[in-house]
């Protein structure tokens, strides 16, 4: 069974809400989602590296991923080379319009690419990952759901041979 | 008198509306604004390089500045080294949320930095430049006005010694 | 048979050299490469949208893709939604170290993501795509070859179900 | 007297070497440099916010600033609004070519822009900030020296009225 880690840091609960919708999208695709809020518990890198994909989420911190997520990626060098070729995706929340959610999603995507992971854009906006302002509304949560579906489907394809 | 070029490409009129508010912000600061819609007329690079600053604007085209603005920057290599140390700023419009207006503003800023120009961020969102979705509303136009003010003030300071 | 378009703009021949090595990598993987130097001929978007993937290449123009490549992506909106889910990759050349080849590769990747295409990073540097300084040396050409192989392999996987 | 903070994280000593050359450039301009290696001591944000500018440096960590620098920026929200209008700049080191030093410099610049700081690009490469591969050679250190000079000169201008 396809298994996707959803690794994120939430401070106000907004990123947590997004993660829950990403999870629903993954599950609705027949895959398993493992949610890891790094603010609550240390990520188990060995376990993550055995999964089929990873979706990373963050609030916007000075235009990019939070320091917690940054520390997660730094520690993930312990499993470098073991995530390559696996499916990935990203989501981000900012407090304000123009507050950096697009640049934050791109910072997550760059980190996932350094792991050699595989990322699919979206031909409909938001293009780079799921983004939301403040408390995510229904539209934002639907975009998160789609992200979960997309990465789960991609992971299935990548694992198929 | 401080003179600022506002160089932009507008397709639907939204970027044009933003440019008009940028202009008002410049003028309200006691500086002169020279609007150049590159869709209408060729930019006079000699004239621009004699001014005190430049603000670049674009609609979002596949996540970055339009090809027209890209061609403008390519031609601007004719006055390379002559814009350095001058004030600059950027604004961008996208059709949808998450549609790339932040990445577009950053693409303009990168081009302005390659000219050695001087860019000020904003401690309130939007941080990197002025951004808008679709037809710019009052808030978006106020942000454009502030951008004009900020760059005019910066140009004044940079020219002061 | 897997077919990959290699769409690029070369001015000095350096990007052309990179494209040739990308082609060799594709062919060595048992796939077919179709090279399109947009400086020579108009890209056939209908033909490209029928292929299994696209690799985009550019020289560095003010920190990002050339205006020719930017115009290519703007025209490619005619086949928007028809490239989604297909494999993609990018390569870029700059004249100098710190001259913008990484930001140029990222600008190409952002455009490919707006098409909904699928991009794999590399766990060894260069991480985001193939990059070179000036005339590409053996190392740079080997990286281009690997890029061709990687995208061809990815295209094969994505087409497999 | 113009006073510039040089805030950085060094792991192998390479970023430290770059910081020393940035310092020399600042001092040669008649300004004072205060070096803060956040790996050694906590940055005094009150002190920094009383200075005339800040230059941020980092090794490349998954394509962007280190988690230490990210944590520094997160904590710097305590002095948000108090750095705006001040001069800034960035430098970054990566182990390999294409390893992310340009994207790392841009991540630092984005954070500085969120503070409303003022950044000058360079019309000669490297354009966005100082970059180096591994142990910085003479050329890389000269670029760092120039960065120090440029930011000190900019700080002087910005403080002049």
């Amino acid at each position: 069974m396809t298994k996707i880690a959803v690794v994120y840091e939430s401070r106000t609960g907004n990123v947590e809400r997004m993660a829950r919708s990403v999870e629903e999208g993954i599950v609705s695709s027949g895959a398993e989602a493992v949610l890891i809020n790094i603010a609550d518990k240390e990520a188990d890198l060995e376990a993550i590296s055995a999964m089929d994909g990873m979706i990373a989420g963050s609030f916007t911190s000075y235009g990019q991923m939070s320091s917690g997520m940054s520390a997660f990626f730094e520690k993930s060098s312990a499993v470098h080379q073991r995530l390559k070729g696996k499916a990935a995706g990203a989501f981000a929340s900012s407090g304000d319009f123009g507050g950096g959610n697009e640049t934050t999603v791109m910072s997550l995507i760059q980190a996932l690419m350094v792991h050699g992971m595989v990322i699919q854009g979206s031909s409909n906006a938001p293009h780079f990952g799921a983004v939301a302002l403040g408390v995510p509304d229904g539209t934002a949560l639907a975009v998160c759901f789609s992200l979960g579906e997309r990465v789960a489907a991609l992971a299935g394809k990548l694992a198929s041979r």
Side-chain angles (χ1 to χ4, degrees), chain A:
Chain A
M1 191 182 189
T2 301
K3 210 176 193 172
I4 310 284
V6 182
V7 183
Y8 60 98
E9 183 173 15
S10 186
R11 195 166 47 179
T12 62
N14 294 335
V15 173
E16 177 74 32
R17 283 182 192 91
M18 295 176 81
R20 295 290 170 194
S21 290
V22 171
E23 177 185 32
E24 286 171 30
I26 294 169
V27 171
S28 82
S29 306
E32 188 184 339
V34 179
L35 263 65
I36 303 162
N37 183 347
I38 60 165
D40 291 342
K41 59 175 171 190
E42 181 93 10
D44 180 342
L45 287 160
E46 286 299 320
I48 290 171
S49 66
M51 298 184 198
D52 305 290
M54 173 165 58
I55 303 179
S58 182
F59 55 86
T60 296
S61 178
Y62 280 84
Q64 46 226 288
M65 73 173 81
S66 68
S67 65
M69 286 304 293
S70 178
F72 162 74
F73 278 109
E74 234 160 58
K75 284 179 214 145
S76 75
S77 67
V79 294
H80 200 75
Q81 304 294 1
R82 288 165 58 191
L83 295 169
K84 68 180 168 192
K86 297 187 176 187
F91 60 103
S93 167
S94 69
D96 298 286
F97 178 63
N101 52 59
E102 289 183 2
T103 52
T104 299
V105 154
M106 285 309 302
S107 78
L108 292 164
I109 284 170
Q110 286 178 346
L112 296 162
M113 289 184 78
V114 173
H115 269 301
M117 299 188 87
V118 181
I119 292 120
Q120 180 171 7
S122 169
S123 51
N124 296 316
H127 299 294
F128 308 123
V131 286
L133 294 184
V135 179
D137 60 12
T139 305
L141 294 177
V143 163
C144 292
F145 186 93
S146 293
L147 174 68
E149 286 183 312
R150 192 165 76 232
V151 177
L154 181 61
K157 281 195 181 190
L158 294 172
S160 70
R161 317 206 277 193

